[in-house]
Amino acid sequence: MAKSDYYEILGVSKSADEREIKKAYKRLAMKFHPDRNPGNAEAEEKFKEVKEAYEILTDEQKRAAYDQYGHAAFEQGGMGGGGFGGGFGGGGADFGDIFGDVFGDIFGGGRRQRAARGSDLRYTMELTLEEAVRGVTKEIRIPTLQECEKCDGSGAKAGSKPQTCSTCHGAGQVQMRQGFFAVQQPCPTCHGRGTVIKDPCNACHGHGRVEKSKTLSVKIPAGVDTGDRIRLSGEGEAGEQGAPSGDLYVQVSVKKHAIFEREESNLFCEVPVNFAMAALGGEIEVPTLDGRVKLKIPAETQTGKLFRMRGKGVKSVRGGAVGDLLCRVVVETPVKLNEKQKQLLQELGESLGGPAGDANSPRSKSFLDGVKKFFDDLTR
Ligand SMILES: [Zn+2]
Ligand SMILES: [Zn+2]
């Protein structure tokens, strides 16, 4: 297949200068760049063509050869033995540099420094457990740097504009010759921005940003927990001179709850019961986030026993099933007893200490048996 003409590929005339060629190349490379045309083989082919044309036409020697011999100048064995062979071989490294230069400009990976993006901000938001579990919308006030309204963030006085830097002509870089080498350095006049502000805006002194506090309405999704953070894109500090703003991170901190403790999607709470109820069984009311529910306490419930109430926990913001509420029953020793109560307990105590007592208190019995064995072993 015949190769297309390099000038035609770039859409420039045979007399186009380097600037025109670069411009045409930038435009076409942007259009056909593989990152912008994923999976498009035709675009990739075009991109390669454009790149090749650019590389040849921006190299003085190669362009001259092409103008004289056409594509034959670069064919294997064609002109290879001629005066160009050596030069081309050694020129490989240059291609990369030129390519990098132009691409840096287009895709932001290059040497030209942009005005700095605004900083990210962090805001710690305290929530009650209920708010965290159910979700809430809260207004917050944050001090921040915002784009200056007077100059629309440009930093230049009303009616004026940032000027292209005359030292680097907008490139942000200057070339310093050091013997054989040319070294790129950030432009000392514009500090790499490519533009200078002759007449700074008096509201922001040329920074393009002013200090202000802003009120934001933040929607907290249901199920968040301490340590979760919500990113509000672009709500951080404004960038310098119109550069993009940073992000705002709202960091969730859940306050300690009087009753519940949360662990992932489960809730825990302690429920005291008196020991008559623990021994005989009964029904108590326990709190859940949705109100009170009844919990059956079976007879002979020991202190510390956990009762699981399915689905009374939390649904995590990350999804998954709703957790459980785990109620730990704590048997409470009665205090401030009156005479009658004391007497009843006395009788109960005697009864438990009597001949049948061992059966009433299996844990005490096994403990005492263990203690006895321990001392027996010591004296053996
Ligand atoms: Zn400059
Ligand atoms: Zn301003």
Side-chain angles (χ1 to χ4, degrees):
M1 201 181 81
K3 267 183 128 168
S4 307
D5 182 79
Y6 286 144
Y7 293 99
E8 276 170 25
I9 290 169
L10 292 178
V12 295
S13 73
K14 290 236 193 273
S15 59
D17 61 19
E18 193 179 320
R19 201 179 49 81
E20 280 174 76
I21 290 168
K22 244 185 185 173
K23 211 174 124 191
Y25 170 60
K26 273 193 194 186
R27 188 174 54 78
L28 293 168
M30 286 271 262
K31 188 170 161 195
F32 296 119
H33 195 275
D35 286 355
R36 298 189 165 209
N37 301 278
N40 183 341
E42 205 181 313
E44 197 184 323
E45 206 42 56
K46 278 265 189 218
F47 180 76
K48 281 187 196 152
E49 247 181 33
V50 165
K51 182 176 165 236
E52 187 183 317
Y54 170 77
E55 283 170 356
I56 299 293
L57 295 186
T58 47
D59 183 304
E60 222 174 287
Q61 218 181 18
K62 285 175 204 162
R63 186 173 175 182
Y66 178 71
D67 286 346
Q68 199 172 348
Y69 302 105
H71 288 296
F74 311 106
E75 269 155 28
Q76 283 281 321
M79 294 297 299
F84 302 111
F88 291 161
D94 284 353
F95 287 9
D97 269 353
I98 295 163
F99 192 63
D101 249 356
V102 171
F103 259 73
D105 279 355
I106 300 174
F107 293 103
R111 300 183 177 110
R112 182 172 159 169
Q113 285 173 308
R114 316 254 144 157
R117 178 182 173 271
S119 306
D120 291 336
L121 293 176
R122 206 178 74 166
Y123 180 93
T124 302
M125 183 183 276
E126 283 221 313
L127 297 175
T128 64
L129 179 68
E130 290 88 336
E131 288 171 334
V133 168
R134 294 188 185 124
V136 66
T137 300
K138 286 211 159 196
E139 301 241 297
I140 59 172
R141 255 180 101 68
I142 45 169
T144 180
L145 289 169
Q146 277 183 287
E147 195 175 273
C148 174
E149 281 171 11
K150 258 209 163 126
C151 62
D152 284 329
S154 75
K157 202 171 202 160
S160 76
K161 270 189 187 162
Q163 307 282 304
T164 301
C165 173
S166 55
T167 308
C168 63
H169 307 290
Q173 293 282 326
V174 287
Q175 280 216 353
M176 311 287 273
R177 285 236 160 249
Q178 284 183 359
F180 183 73
F181 298 101
V183 182
Q184 294 267 359
Q185 286 189 340
C187 170
T189 309
C190 64
H191 307 290
R193 292 222 178 90
T195 53
V196 284
I197 292 161
K198 290 232 161 67
D199 231 346
C201 162
N202 46 22
C204 64
H205 310 290
H207 296 295
R209 307 183 290 179
V210 285
E211 257 185 60
K212 257 187 201 161
S213 66
K214 62 176 172 183
T215 306
L216 277 177
S217 180
V218 183
K219 194 170 183 293
I220 305 289
V224 294
D225 203 354
T226 295
D228 284 335
R229 55 184 204 172
I230 292 136
R231 177 164 159 262
L232 299 177
S233 180
E235 296 290 2
E237 282 186 355
E240 273 178 46
Q241 294 164 15
S245 298
D247 299 330
L248 170 66
Y249 289 93
V250 175
Q251 188 96 32
V252 172
S253 169
V254 180
K255 286 183 238 176
K256 204 170 153 49
H257 194 274
I259 299 171
F260 301 111
E261 227 172 274
R262 178 173 168 186
E263 214 183 288
E264 312 221 312
S265 58
N266 291 332
L267 290 176
F268 288 83
C269 76
E270 280 198 348
V271 186
V273 296
N274 70 50
F275 68 56
M277 161 104 54
L280 302 173
E283 207 173 57
I284 55 167
E285 273 193 340
V286 293
T288 73
L289 285 176
D290 310 314
R292 295 162 194 273
V293 293
K294 289 202 162 43
L295 173 66
K296 249 199 164 74
I297 304 287
E300 301 180 3
T301 291
Q302 300 294 340
T303 193
K305 186 167 172 61
L306 275 177
F307 291 91
R308 183 182 291 267
M309 319 205 45
R310 296 212 178 271
K312 297 287 182 196
V314 177
K315 188 171 169 69
S316 166
V317 71
R318 287 170 196 81
V322 180
D324 304 328
L325 170 63
L326 291 130
C327 294
R328 183 187 302 278
V329 164
V330 181
V331 175
E332 185 174 28
T333 305
V335 295
K336 294 185 178 150
L337 297 167
N338 63 30
E339 282 313 309
K340 172 135 196 262
Q341 289 167 322
K342 279 184 190 164
Q343 199 195 324
L344 286 169
L345 281 173
Q346 194 95 42
E347 283 170 31
L348 176 63
E350 277 158 20
S351 156
L352 292 176
D358 282 358
N360 295 138
S361 312
R363 221 163 128 182
S364 299
K365 183 180 184 309
S366 77
F367 173 71
L368 290 175
D369 286 352
V371 171
K372 184 171 178 296
K373 185 171 181 296
F374 172 69
F375 285 115
D376 286 351
D377 286 352
L378 275 185
T379 50
R380 189 170 286 160

XYZ file of all heavy atoms in Angstrom, residues 309-357:
355
model
N -30.660 -10.019 69.086
C -31.906 -9.611 68.475
C -31.614 -9.323 67.008
O -31.024 -8.296 66.668
C -32.463 -8.379 69.194
C -32.262 -8.564 70.682
S -33.345 -7.686 71.772
C -34.932 -7.865 71.144
N -32.024 -10.243 66.193
C -31.668 -10.182 64.770
C -32.251 -8.949 64.079
O -33.401 -8.575 64.312
C -32.157 -11.432 64.056
C -31.469 -12.667 64.563
C -31.291 -13.748 63.503
N -30.567 -14.869 64.098
C -29.255 -14.960 64.110
N -28.515 -14.035 63.538
N -28.661 -15.989 64.688
N -31.424 -8.354 63.252
C -31.905 -7.248 62.424
C -32.151 -5.945 63.166
O -32.703 -5.011 62.612
N -31.714 -5.892 64.441
C -31.912 -4.646 65.198
C -30.620 -3.841 65.285
O -30.475 -2.951 66.105
C -32.425 -4.965 66.611
C -33.785 -5.634 66.633
C -34.874 -4.653 66.284
C -36.254 -5.318 66.351
N -37.240 -4.478 65.664
N -29.666 -4.201 64.431
C -28.398 -3.470 64.417
C -28.413 -2.385 63.361
O -29.394 -1.678 63.195
N -27.332 -2.321 62.617
C -27.108 -1.218 61.689
C -26.866 -1.783 60.294
O -26.269 -2.842 60.155
C -25.844 -0.425 62.124
C -25.528 0.692 61.147
C -26.015 0.119 63.523
N -27.332 -1.064 59.289
C -26.956 -1.415 57.919
C -25.783 -0.518 57.540
O -25.898 0.703 57.529
C -28.120 -1.207 56.963
C -27.823 -1.749 55.573
C -29.087 -1.711 54.718
C -28.789 -1.975 53.260
N -28.363 -3.332 52.963
N -24.657 -1.148 57.248
C -23.442 -0.386 56.952
C -23.599 0.393 55.658
O -24.313 -0.022 54.746
C -22.248 -1.336 56.832
O -21.163 -0.645 56.245
N -22.903 1.514 55.582
C -22.923 2.334 54.380
C -22.324 1.557 53.206
O -22.572 1.858 52.041
C -22.168 3.655 54.625
C -20.669 3.423 54.734
C -22.473 4.686 53.546
N -21.528 0.537 53.521
C -20.909 -0.278 52.471
C -21.824 -1.396 51.998
O -21.423 -2.249 51.211
C -19.600 -0.866 52.974
C -18.529 0.181 53.056
C -17.286 -0.303 53.764
N -16.498 0.849 54.120
C -16.722 1.615 55.177
N -17.677 1.313 56.016
N -15.985 2.681 55.418
N -23.032 -1.428 52.531
C -23.971 -2.453 52.110
C -23.899 -3.667 53.013
O -23.326 -3.609 54.106
N -24.435 -4.769 52.574
C -24.493 -5.971 53.404
C -25.772 -5.983 54.222
O -26.596 -5.071 54.146
N -25.900 -7.058 55.003
C -27.130 -7.236 55.759
C -27.158 -6.299 56.956
O -26.127 -5.799 57.387
C -27.234 -8.681 56.226
N -28.356 -6.072 57.458
C -28.493 -5.297 58.687
C -27.957 -6.155 59.830
O -28.212 -7.360 59.894
C -29.972 -4.947 58.938
C -30.116 -4.146 60.219
C -30.539 -4.179 57.766
N -27.180 -5.559 60.707
C -26.590 -6.302 61.821
C -27.599 -6.568 62.931
O -28.798 -6.301 62.782
N -27.103 -7.102 64.027
C -27.955 -7.489 65.149
C -27.694 -6.594 66.350
O -26.669 -5.930 66.436
C -27.658 -8.942 65.542
C -27.831 -9.891 64.363
O -28.690 -9.613 63.513
O -27.087 -10.887 64.298
N -28.648 -6.632 67.247
C -28.436 -5.979 68.540
C -28.121 -7.082 69.542
O -28.858 -8.064 69.654
C -29.703 -5.221 68.966
C -29.715 -4.692 70.398
C -28.624 -3.658 70.621
C -31.077 -4.078 70.734
N -27.002 -6.952 70.233
C -26.612 -7.965 71.215
C -26.735 -7.367 72.605
O -26.057 -6.402 72.936
C -25.181 -8.429 70.936
C -25.107 -9.228 69.635
C -24.017 -8.732 68.736
C -24.963 -10.699 69.922
N -27.679 -7.948 73.356
C -27.923 -7.448 74.713
C -27.212 -8.356 75.707
O -27.439 -9.564 75.734
C -29.415 -7.469 75.036
S -30.348 -6.333 74.037
N -26.345 -7.732 76.501
C -25.645 -8.512 77.527
C -26.391 -8.311 78.848
O -26.522 -7.193 79.326
C -24.207 -8.027 77.665
C -23.373 -8.837 78.658
C -22.011 -8.188 78.856
N -21.283 -8.070 77.593
C -20.593 -9.071 77.058
N -20.508 -10.235 77.663
N -19.977 -8.893 75.922
N -26.871 -9.425 79.379
C -27.614 -9.350 80.633
C -26.628 -9.327 81.797
O -25.708 -10.139 81.859
C -28.569 -10.555 80.755
C -29.058 -10.718 82.186
C -29.738 -10.367 79.798
N -26.802 -8.327 82.643
C -25.953 -8.237 83.827
C -26.846 -8.368 85.053
O -27.788 -7.601 85.225
C -25.213 -6.877 83.871
C -24.315 -6.804 85.086
C -24.437 -6.659 82.594
N -26.569 -9.388 85.853
C -27.382 -9.589 87.051
C -26.917 -8.593 88.113
O -25.731 -8.506 88.433
C -27.262 -11.038 87.564
C -28.031 -11.198 88.880
C -27.786 -12.011 86.508
N -27.868 -7.822 88.576
C -27.519 -6.765 89.509
C -27.766 -7.208 90.950
O -28.849 -7.685 91.285
C -28.359 -5.512 89.206
C -27.952 -4.336 90.063
C -28.671 -3.055 89.682
O -29.803 -3.120 89.177
O -28.080 -1.978 89.897
N -26.771 -7.030 91.756
C -26.899 -7.326 93.181
C -27.754 -6.218 93.811
O -27.471 -5.035 93.599
C -25.511 -7.326 93.839
O -24.694 -8.250 93.126
C -25.593 -7.706 95.302
N -28.803 -6.578 94.533
C -29.676 -5.538 95.074
C -28.988 -4.701 96.156
O -28.155 -5.220 96.894
C -30.856 -6.326 95.657
C -30.354 -7.710 95.858
C -29.265 -7.941 94.854
N -29.311 -3.427 96.167
C -28.754 -2.528 97.186
C -29.901 -1.891 97.967
O -31.066 -1.970 97.549
C -27.862 -1.435 96.542
C -26.646 -2.057 95.885
C -28.657 -0.608 95.539
N -29.569 -1.271 99.105
C -30.531 -0.560 99.941
C -31.745 -1.435 100.286
O -32.908 -1.035 100.065
C -30.975 0.744 99.260
C -29.826 1.723 99.155
C -30.282 3.051 98.598
C -29.106 4.005 98.554
N -29.202 4.988 97.474
N -31.469 -2.592 100.788
C -32.555 -3.525 101.111
C -33.237 -3.114 102.406
O -32.582 -2.636 103.336
C -31.975 -4.932 101.280
C -31.321 -5.540 100.028
C -30.508 -6.772 100.402
C -32.381 -5.895 99.004
N -34.540 -3.307 102.458
C -35.232 -3.074 103.743
C -35.183 -4.347 104.574
O -34.702 -5.391 104.113
C -36.649 -2.549 103.517
C -37.517 -3.561 102.771
O -37.306 -4.781 102.896
N -38.485 -3.079 102.014
N -35.705 -4.261 105.785
C -35.581 -5.386 106.713
C -36.226 -6.652 106.173
O -35.684 -7.739 106.288
C -36.213 -5.015 108.064
C -35.326 -4.109 108.924
C -33.884 -4.587 109.019
O -33.670 -5.791 109.352
O -32.956 -3.802 108.710
N -37.402 -6.443 105.579
C -38.146 -7.605 105.071
C -37.359 -8.307 103.964
O -37.224 -9.529 103.944
C -39.503 -7.142 104.535
C -40.271 -8.229 103.828
C -41.727 -8.267 104.241
C -42.361 -9.587 103.813
N -43.087 -9.417 102.559
N -36.818 -7.492 103.070
C -36.047 -8.068 101.952
C -34.815 -8.801 102.482
O -34.455 -9.884 102.016
C -35.617 -6.954 100.985
C -36.782 -6.375 100.194
C -36.411 -5.085 99.490
O -35.661 -4.263 100.056
N -36.947 -4.898 98.293
N -34.179 -8.144 103.473
C -32.993 -8.773 104.047
C -33.330 -10.135 104.640
O -32.594 -11.102 104.465
C -32.400 -7.868 105.140
C -31.551 -6.746 104.598
C -30.936 -5.964 105.752
C -30.281 -4.698 105.221
N -30.016 -3.746 106.313
N -34.474 -10.155 105.286
C -34.881 -11.403 105.941
C -35.155 -12.485 104.910
O -34.738 -13.636 105.071
C -36.135 -11.139 106.779
C -36.380 -12.205 107.847
C -37.795 -12.102 108.399
O -38.325 -10.996 108.541
N -38.400 -13.241 108.699
N -35.831 -12.097 103.838
C -36.120 -13.064 102.765
C -34.830 -13.607 102.150
O -34.700 -14.804 101.886
C -36.961 -12.404 101.665
C -38.434 -12.161 102.012
C -39.075 -11.261 100.963
C -39.176 -13.493 102.112
N -33.891 -12.712 101.984
C -32.632 -13.139 101.388
C -31.848 -14.041 102.342
O -31.174 -14.971 101.919
C -31.785 -11.916 100.990
C -32.209 -11.263 99.681
C -31.437 -9.977 99.441
C -31.994 -12.217 98.497
N -31.976 -13.710 103.611
C -31.324 -14.530 104.623
C -31.817 -15.971 104.516
O -31.024 -16.911 104.474
C -31.675 -13.982 106.012
C -30.807 -14.518 107.134
C -29.656 -13.552 107.421
O -29.870 -12.343 107.437
N -28.475 -14.092 107.596
N -33.149 -16.055 104.435
C -33.758 -17.388 104.328
C -33.306 -18.073 103.048
O -32.951 -19.255 103.051
C -35.277 -17.278 104.340
C -35.850 -17.023 105.723
C -37.326 -16.676 105.665
O -38.032 -17.166 104.750
O -37.781 -15.875 106.522
N -33.291 -17.325 101.985
C -32.856 -17.894 100.705
C -31.410 -18.355 100.815
O -31.051 -19.445 100.350
C -32.999 -16.832 99.590
C -32.491 -17.250 98.212
C -33.298 -18.427 97.661
C -32.538 -16.071 97.234
N -30.584 -17.509 101.423
C -29.170 -17.840 101.569
C -28.978 -19.127 102.348
O -28.192 -19.988 101.949
N -29.753 -19.259 103.471
C -29.626 -20.486 104.279
C -30.028 -21.695 103.458
O -29.394 -22.751 103.527
C -30.490 -20.377 105.537
C -29.791 -19.611 106.657
C -30.772 -19.029 107.685
O -31.929 -19.525 107.746
O -30.377 -18.071 108.377
N -31.086 -21.492 102.685
C -31.576 -22.587 101.861
C -30.539 -22.997 100.813
O -30.309 -24.179 100.564
C -32.879 -22.163 101.186
O -33.088 -22.902 100.023
N -29.884 -21.981 100.216
C -28.883 -22.294 99.187
C -27.636 -22.932 99.812
O -26.946 -23.712 99.174
C -28.471 -21.012 98.433
C -29.547 -20.379 97.540
C -29.028 -19.062 96.948
C -29.967 -21.326 96.430
N -27.379 -22.581 101.063
C -26.208 -23.131 101.737
C -26.478 -24.494 102.354
O -25.564 -25.153 102.841
N -27.721 -24.911 102.316
C -28.093 -26.171 102.926
C -27.662 -27.370 102.098
O -26.908 -27.224 101.139
N -28.199 -28.545 102.496
C -27.782 -29.787 101.827
C -28.048 -29.779 100.323
O -27.265 -30.339 99.555
C -28.658 -30.856 102.496
C -29.225 -30.236 103.714
C -29.201 -28.753 103.548
N -29.129 -29.064 99.890
C -29.457 -29.075 98.455
C -28.717 -27.970 97.706
O -28.852 -27.837 96.491
C -30.964 -28.879 98.265
N -27.953 -27.142 98.410
C -27.312 -25.946 97.830
C -26.411 -26.226 96.649
O -26.341 -25.442 95.700
